[in-house]
Amino acid sequence: MSNRSTSDPDSTLQPIKLLWKLMSGFRAYYGRAIFALFVFTLINYATPLVGSATLDSAFSKSAPESPLTRQLIAWMGGAEFIRNHLWFPALLMIGLTLLAGFFSFLKGRFAAMASDGIARKVKDQLYDHLQRLPAKYHDRAETGDLIQRCTSDVETLRMALSSQVVDISNALLLLISAVPIMFLLDARMALISFTLVGPIILYGYFYIGRVKHLFLEVDEAEGQVTRVVQENLTGLRVVRAFARQEFEMKKFAEPNKLYRDRSLRLLRLMSWYWSTSDLIVLAQQGLVLLSGAWFISQGSLTVGTLFAFIMFLNILLWPVRQMGRTLTDLGKSAVALTRMGEILSEPEESKPPGNCVPDGPAKGRIEVKDLVFSHGEETAAINGISFTVEPGQTLAILGPSGSGKSTLMHLLLRLYDYQSGSIQFDDRELKDLDRQWVRSQFSVVMQEPFLYSKTIGENIRLGREGAANEEIQEAARLADIHDTIRGFPSDYSTLVGERGVTLSGGQRQRVALARALLRETPVLLLDDALSAVDAETEATILQALRQRHGKRTTLVIAHRLSTLSHADRVVVLEHGKVIQQGTHEELVVQEGLYRRLWTIQNAVKAEVELSTGDQSPIHPISR
């Protein structure tokens, strides 16, 4: 995944455009939050003004110079009334504080509703988009990094939207409203109060410029840690089988150290900002206090006005100081948005012109002609393959590792698109058919069957949603796994653990086969689906499949010739080309790879039978 330069103007605007798009449907909540913030700000400034008017009424014999304070005293009933009823301004300040708290609650509530809704929307979009991205994207993407982008980065965005958007509005409203009020109270004190506000803002601006790139580095380092952990947990059994715990610890230590070092650099820079900005804020408050005390001693300022300025500074300076943190978090969320945008900007699987979806059920006829496909390497994975499978027939595919067997299956499922040649499905070009429709016509058992962390029954039912228990059990019988399942303590309700870890390799394959058989599609693809089962179980499953011969087109990839010998036709691949083609009886008498493998496997079988005392003759498995 490429990282675009932060100096590119388009890369700066891109997160803003994406954010505005993601906020669709939730902008009204932010409007309500900002309105509540506006009312909260007005009330927040009214409270110190009431305190200022009370102090000036109680301790000053002369009328205040500020027209704003004089009007407020008059509105409260006059100086004499205030002096005789001090409970009234106290009660008024308590009421204003409670009202400000209520609007602060509304502000937070609306912002939280918007941010949580956007976070949920983003996660849904990311998850949905990842399901639709082509297989080539997932071939090069790192799972740990994708998890990081869909979880940690989304949480970073949620936190920014829940507070930073409102915080920026808060700081702007405070500045805009504070300036006229403070100048109406006393122009000299207003100028002194804003002496160090500019330096605070400038310091925050330069700080965010330095810290922004660090957020990307920390995010990438965290993604590396997540990737290593994910790989280790996925392959935990392999790690223990090879006693590689110490090696894995060292492998984990390197990205973990990198993450720690980058995080410390970020924290050191942040600590400098906080300490320096604190010093500036306290210096500003001290300057106002000393200046006010001097003006009071000269008789040109009232105690109430100084009280108002000190309170205003407490209200104003801390949000302005927080702008550095706010801008920092916004910088971090911009990085997170960019990383999420990289996923969302990836093109989904291409759709054919017209996105053809044939009417009626498919027959299952497959014709491959001069097929060529390459993963990008110089050597083609498939180079000129041709064969035909009629509806209901069984085609067996044999070949050494790397000969293109699994790649052919992937092309039939349209996980990849071939560069040249043709695949006809029911006399229609496969590239012209809708991908989802094509995949709905195939039942597949992959070379490495994947089971979800669900019950056995739920894993089989994935083949056809809503299938009755009797249908699930019948599919399990065909896959020769029913009796095994009934022997588990919880029967079909037995949890299989993540990736089916509680089952043996052969049991996982048979559960996956039952899932595929339950689906009842026109075509069944078996990619070395019986490699982990014993010979007796394999014979039982093949017998069950032979009884269903003619009901669906079946393509079988296997290395054991006993699995392939029942097929109507066998295709032998080598280096992406068809080197032999025919029935089992035809190929076993021809010179070539098939006959050599048959001789070797029969010789091995004979040795095993002699060592166990079984002298039964060896015969090819008939169809």
Side-chain angles (χ1 to χ4, degrees):
M1 297 179 187
S2 60
N3 294 322
R4 301 178 64 183
S5 171
T6 53
S7 62
D8 181 6
D10 188 53
S11 68
T12 304
L13 290 174
Q14 210 59 33
I16 298 174
K17 293 177 182 177
L18 177 60
L19 179 60
W20 182 251
K21 182 179 178 181
L22 294 174
M23 288 175 69
S24 175
F26 299 96
R27 296 169 194 155
Y29 285 108
Y30 279 113
R32 295 169 196 166
I34 292 172
F35 174 76
L37 174 64
F38 176 74
V39 177
F40 167 76
T41 302
L42 292 180
I43 298 171
N44 229 12
Y45 277 130
T47 305
L49 288 173
V50 171
S52 173
T54 303
L55 287 172
D56 284 347
S57 299
F59 299 105
S60 179
K61 295 180 180 179
S62 59
E65 294 185 6
S66 169
L68 180 62
T69 306
R70 289 198 300 269
Q71 289 177 8
L72 187 58
I73 290 173
W75 179 83
M76 292 171 63
E80 187 66 28
F81 175 81
I82 293 173
R83 279 194 293 270
N84 295 329
H85 302 85
L86 287 176
W87 58 266
F88 174 71
L91 193 63
L92 183 59
M93 291 178 72
I94 292 172
L96 287 171
T97 302
L98 290 174
L99 194 60
F102 173 71
F103 279 98
S104 178
F105 164 76
L106 289 181
K107 170 199 70 174
R109 176 179 172 81
F110 289 133
M113 290 172 68
S115 61
D116 287 352
I118 292 171
R120 178 184 175 182
K121 177 181 178 181
V122 172
K123 285 183 179 179
D124 287 344
Q125 285 190 5
L126 286 171
Y127 190 80
D128 180 69
H129 193 67
L130 284 170
Q131 307 303 309
R132 301 174 188 275
L133 290 179
K136 285 186 177 180
Y137 173 85
H138 291 285
D139 289 343
R140 70 176 188 271
E142 294 180 351
T143 304
D145 184 63
L146 292 180
I147 293 172
Q148 170 83 5
R149 295 178 189 229
C150 295
T151 53
S152 181
D153 285 349
V154 174
E155 181 62 16
T156 297
L157 176 65
R158 187 196 67 79
M159 292 179 66
L161 291 175
S162 65
S163 57
Q164 269 66 64
V165 172
V166 177
D167 284 348
I168 289 176
S169 304
N170 185 30
L172 292 174
L173 277 174
L174 286 172
L175 278 172
I176 293 169
S177 55
V179 172
I181 294 174
M182 294 173 81
F183 270 93
L184 281 173
L185 286 174
D186 192 289
R188 301 166 304 171
M189 290 295 293
L191 289 172
I192 293 171
S193 298
F194 289 108
T195 303
L196 299 181
V197 170
I200 293 176
I201 295 173
L202 283 174
Y203 183 51
Y205 174 77
F206 288 115
Y207 164 72
I208 187 61
R210 288 190 61 191
V211 81
K212 189 175 181 181
H213 73 279
L214 282 177
F215 282 121
L216 179 59
E217 292 180 4
V218 170
D219 233 15
E220 290 175 344
E222 188 179 356
Q224 291 180 34
V225 172
T226 306
R227 175 181 58 80
V228 173
V229 172
Q230 186 266 335
E231 284 182 350
N232 180 270
L233 293 177
T234 303
L236 192 61
R237 278 167 162 56
V238 176
V239 171
R240 291 185 176 180
F242 286 87
R244 300 279 284 180
Q245 290 94 329
E246 194 66 30
F247 172 81
E248 288 295 320
M249 282 298 300
K250 291 178 181 178
K251 191 174 89 171
F252 176 75
E254 186 175 342
N256 194 33
K257 179 179 180 296
L258 180 66
Y259 176 59
R260 182 207 62 185
D261 292 344
R262 290 181 177 180
S263 297
L264 283 175
R265 283 175 56 199
L266 179 62
L267 288 172
R268 276 195 290 267
L269 192 57
M270 290 174 71
S271 66
W272 271 104
Y273 173 77
W274 290 122
S275 56
T276 306
S277 61
D278 281 350
L279 180 63
I280 296 173
V281 167
L282 291 172
Q284 177 66 77
Q285 289 180 321
L287 184 61
V288 168
L289 188 60
L290 290 173
S291 301
W294 169 258
F295 289 138
I296 289 173
S297 68
Q298 297 298 309
S300 60
L301 187 72
T302 64
V303 174
T305 304
L306 178 59
F307 168 81
F309 271 94
I310 292 173
M311 294 296 292
F312 284 159
L313 281 178
N314 282 329
I315 295 171
L316 176 65
L317 285 180
W318 294 108
V320 171
R321 169 188 176 266
Q322 290 288 95
M323 283 296 290
R325 179 186 66 82
T326 301
L327 291 173
T328 299
D329 290 343
L330 283 177
K332 189 175 182 179
S333 60
V335 170
L337 263 174
T338 301
R339 283 161 54 82
M340 289 183 282
E342 288 174 0
I343 295 177
L344 294 173
S345 63
E346 286 286 339
E348 296 182 357
E349 288 183 316
S350 60
K351 295 182 178 180
N355 211 24
C356 178
V357 177
D359 297 325
K363 297 176 182 177
R365 185 180 186 275
I366 299 171
E367 183 180 357
V368 177
K369 187 181 295 183
D370 301 324
L371 190 66
V372 176
F373 172 77
S374 172
H375 287 286
E377 301 89 350
E378 294 181 4
T379 305
I382 290 180
N383 190 7
I385 289 178
S386 298
F387 62 81
T388 302
V389 191
E390 297 298 335
Q393 284 189 343
T394 298
L395 176 73
I397 302 174
L398 173 71
S401 296
S403 60
K405 305 184 299 298
S406 295
T407 301
L408 177 61
M409 293 292 189
H410 294 159
L411 294 176
L412 290 172
L413 293 169
R414 291 208 65 194
L415 297 178
Y416 304 96
D417 281 331
Y418 40 96
Q419 280 91 22
S420 64
S422 170
I423 299 179
Q424 295 279 325
F425 186 71
D426 283 356
D427 301 320
R428 292 175 179 266
E429 189 63 38
L430 197 69
K431 281 185 177 180
D432 297 336
L433 299 174
D434 176 72
R435 291 179 191 270
Q436 290 302 107
W437 182 85
V438 169
R439 292 165 189 168
S440 69
Q441 307 306 308
F442 290 81
S443 296
V444 188
V445 183
M446 295 291 188
Q447 192 171 4
E448 297 179 4
F450 182 90
L451 300 183
Y452 291 90
S453 183
K454 298 174 178 287
T455 66
I456 293 176
E458 287 172 327
N459 268 286
I460 297 176
R461 189 176 274 112
L462 287 171
R464 178 156 50 88
E465 190 176 352
N469 291 334
E470 293 76 14
E471 294 175 302
I472 291 174
Q473 292 176 17
E474 178 59 26
R477 287 190 184 93
L478 290 172
D480 197 31
I481 189 68
H482 174 72
D483 292 337
T484 303
I485 296 173
R486 294 301 296 269
F488 294 146
S490 300
D491 205 79
Y492 280 84
S493 298
T494 301
L495 288 169
V496 299
E498 189 175 3
R499 302 173 68 90
V501 70
T502 58
L503 301 180
S504 69
Q507 289 169 344
R508 285 198 297 271
Q509 283 191 334
R510 284 180 285 162
V511 170
L513 178 59
R515 180 171 62 194
L517 294 172
L518 179 67
R519 199 172 185 195
E520 294 184 346
T521 53
V523 184
L524 174 64
L525 301 181
L526 303 178
D527 187 357
D528 213 6
L530 303 177
S531 59
V533 302
D534 58 81
E536 184 178 352
T537 303
E538 179 191 46
T540 305
I541 295 172
L542 292 175
Q543 182 61 34
L545 291 176
R546 282 196 291 272
Q547 291 175 359
R548 297 167 64 87
H549 185 268
K551 293 184 178 180
R552 64 169 76 182
T553 304
T554 305
L555 276 72
V556 183
I557 292 175
H559 292 94
R560 286 195 296 211
L561 299 190
S562 57
T563 309
L564 307 177
S565 57
H566 72 285
D568 295 296
R569 196 163 189 80
V570 179
V571 172
V572 183
L573 302 181
E574 190 171 35
H575 302 304
K577 298 180 179 180
V578 176
I579 59 172
Q580 284 183 286
Q581 193 169 168
T583 64
H584 166 74
E585 288 79 4
E586 292 170 348
L587 295 178
V588 81
V589 296
Q590 288 181 11
E591 286 295 331
L593 178 63
Y594 192 91
R595 182 176 178 178
R596 291 197 303 272
L597 290 175
W598 180 257
T599 303
I600 292 169
Q601 291 186 16
N602 271 337
V604 172
K605 183 178 179 181
E607 288 183 13
V608 172
E609 289 174 345
L610 287 171
S611 65
T612 58
D614 184 357
Q615 302 297 322
S616 58
I618 302 167
H619 299 290
I621 298 176
S622 62
R623 290 181 293 155

